[in-house]
Amino acid sequence: MSVLPILIHPDPRLKKAAEPVGEVTDELRQLADDMLETMYKAPGIGLAAPQVGVLSRLLVMDCVKEEGAAPRPMALFNPEVVWASDDVSTYEEGCLSIPDQYADVDRPAEVRVRWVDRDGAECEEHFTGLWSTCVQHEIDHLDGKLFIDYLKPLRRQMITRKMVKLKRERARA
Ligand code: GNR
Ligand code: NI
């Protein structure tokens, strides 16, 4: 198991659509485990493969937030939204690739998602609440989309400038 470096916006790899995964190999299972370790350490509730520089359709998440509750680490290969509610909910989102920046984003309140799990089995589940927000945020990453793409251009530009500065400072440190 290892913690992987997380790419910071702006980075061309965060803007590209990721490629579907073929067979779920040991190498991909290892990547999923490393991504989970990276996500828990950050800490975050989700992570998509492009955020660690891998352009494959894989995301991991665990949105259990109750203190002392059993964790639920999930790895989703080739996830697809097969149904979305007309009902919208607003959540203040953040992103590990855009540190310390938060903004309200509207998304369908509930979604039904189909994916392939680490054993290669087809799964389908209905997500609500934070799980729904998170899985949609992660699938957006697989399509090269960030939560700031939903904001007005001026706000997005301000955040991008801050990230350019942050990256420059980190590179000098
Ligand atoms: O850790 C994360 N928290 C979060 C909060 C609200 C909406 C979405 C998220 S996902 C984010 C981790 C991340 O950047 N995943 O891509
Ligand atoms: Ni993110």
Side-chain angles (χ1 to χ4, degrees), residues 11-79:
D11 187 296
R13 290 165 286 182
L14 295 172
K15 305 245 62 166
K16 288 198 180 123
E19 291 291 330
V21 164
E23 200 195 345
V24 180
T25 58
D26 284 343
E27 190 187 354
L28 283 166
R29 274 185 284 270
Q30 182 63 56
L31 173 62
D33 287 339
D34 289 345
M35 285 171 57
L36 280 163
E37 190 181 351
T38 304
M39 176 193 84
Y40 285 123
K41 162 125 190 290
I45 57 172
L47 191 68
Q51 292 180 277
V52 294
V54 178
L55 289 171
S56 296
R57 301 190 77 83
L58 160 63
L59 67 86
V60 298
M61 61 177 178
D62 183 348
C63 302
V64 173
K65 54 183 178 200
E66 301 82 25
E67 198 67 42
R72 191 186 179 206
M74 297 185 77
L76 284 63
F77 296 90
N78 299 337

Side-chain angles (χ1 to χ4, degrees), residues 9-10 148-149 151-165:
H9 166 73
I148 56 170
D149 294 332
L151 308 181
K152 295 201 178 82
L154 205 62
R155 176 93 196 274
R156 179 163 65 238
Q157 205 168 70
M158 259 176 52
I159 292 176
T160 299
R161 290 214 179 101
K162 280 187 195 165
M163 293 302 107
V164 169
K165 188 159 170 267

Side-chain angles (χ1 to χ4, degrees), residues 44-48 51 91-96 133-134 137-138 141:
I45 57 172
L47 191 68
Q51 292 180 277
Y91 204 93
E92 188 179 53
E93 300 198 13
C95 182
L96 293 172
T133 295
C134 185
H137 174 117
E138 302 313 336
H141 274 300

